[in-house]
């Protein structure tokens, strides 16, 4: 599993490439399924470790991991940031996606840990009820991680 030590958060998209060399942001293909067999989990862990090594000079590495807590992947990272919106905002966003139905939305929710539990477990919570609140949350996290990194030098 990846070594701890550098401020890092994460996305499981094997084969994806970072947007730039200063920071890495990756996102999985929407709707991809997680496979819980040991070989698949090991491949994902190996990929994350290699990605972290390849981007060791980046001040911050981010991964966007679907079902992070549900799959046990939270332990692979130094910190976890959870994005959270009020239930009515989440429902409106999800139901506006092409092909999404209320039944499918409720099925997806049934497979996820409740939002309140994810927020309680997270190191950071980003409120996404508006673009401005999301930006403020991200800025606050970057500042906190930067301050933490300065203390450890």
């Amino acid at each position: 599993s990846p070594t701890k030590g550098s401020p890092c958060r994460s996305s499981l998209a094997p084969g994806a490439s970072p947007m730039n060399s200063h920071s890495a942001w990756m996102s999985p293909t929407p709707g991809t399924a997680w496979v819980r067999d040991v070989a698949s989990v090991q491949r994902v862990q190996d990929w994350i470790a290699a990605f972290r090594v390849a981007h060791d000079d980046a001040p911050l590495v981010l991964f966007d991991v679907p079902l992070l807590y549900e799959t046990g992947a939270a332990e692979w990272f130094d910190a976890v940031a959870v994005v959270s919106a009020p239930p009515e905002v989440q429902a409106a966003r999800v139901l506006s996606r092409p092909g999404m139905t209320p039944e499918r939305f409720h099925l997806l929710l049934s497979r996820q840990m409740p939002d309140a539990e994810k927020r309680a477990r997270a190191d950071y919570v980003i409120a996404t009820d508006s673009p401005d609140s999301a930006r403020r949350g991200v800025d606050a996290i970057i500042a906190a991680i930067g301050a933490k990194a300065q203390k450890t030098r």
Side-chain angles (χ1 to χ4, degrees):
S1 98
T3 60
K4 303 250 181 194
S6 60
C8 198
R9 202 25 71 248
S10 311
S11 156
L12 302 178
S17 61
M19 292 174 71
N20 66 54
S21 62
H22 302 292
S23 63
W25 177 266
M26 301 171 45
S27 183
T29 304
T32 54
W34 269 83
V35 178
R36 290 285 297 172
D37 66 89
V38 173
S40 294
V41 171
Q42 187 60 53
R43 279 194 307 274
V44 170
Q45 286 179 313
D46 292 347
W47 180 84
I48 289 169
F51 186 86
R52 289 176 74 167
V53 168
H55 296 87
D56 190 51
D57 60 337
L60 179 66
V61 178
L62 303 171
F63 293 89
D64 178 14
V65 182
L67 303 174
L68 179 79
Y69 290 115
E70 295 84 348
T71 60
E75 68 189 50
W76 302 345
F77 304 104
D78 300 321
V80 172
V82 167
V83 295
S84 180
E88 63 278 3
V89 172
Q90 179 188 29
R93 287 177 182 163
V94 174
L95 291 170
S96 71
R97 295 178 187 160
M100 184 57 66
T101 64
E103 295 78 21
R104 179 150 166 76
F105 172 59
H106 291 295
L107 177 65
L108 292 172
L109 279 181
S110 74
R111 295 178 178 168
Q112 296 177 12
M113 179 181 292
D115 189 61
E117 189 173 346
K118 288 188 276 190
R119 289 191 320 262
R121 290 184 180 199
D123 299 289
Y124 306 98
V125 177
I126 301 170
T128 61
D129 49 320
S130 74
D132 287 338
S133 67
R135 275 189 214 93
R136 285 191 303 273
V138 170
D139 289 346
I141 292 169
I142 291 170
I145 290 173
K148 187 176 178 179
Q150 289 296 325
K151 288 180 183 178
T152 60
R153 290 182 192 194

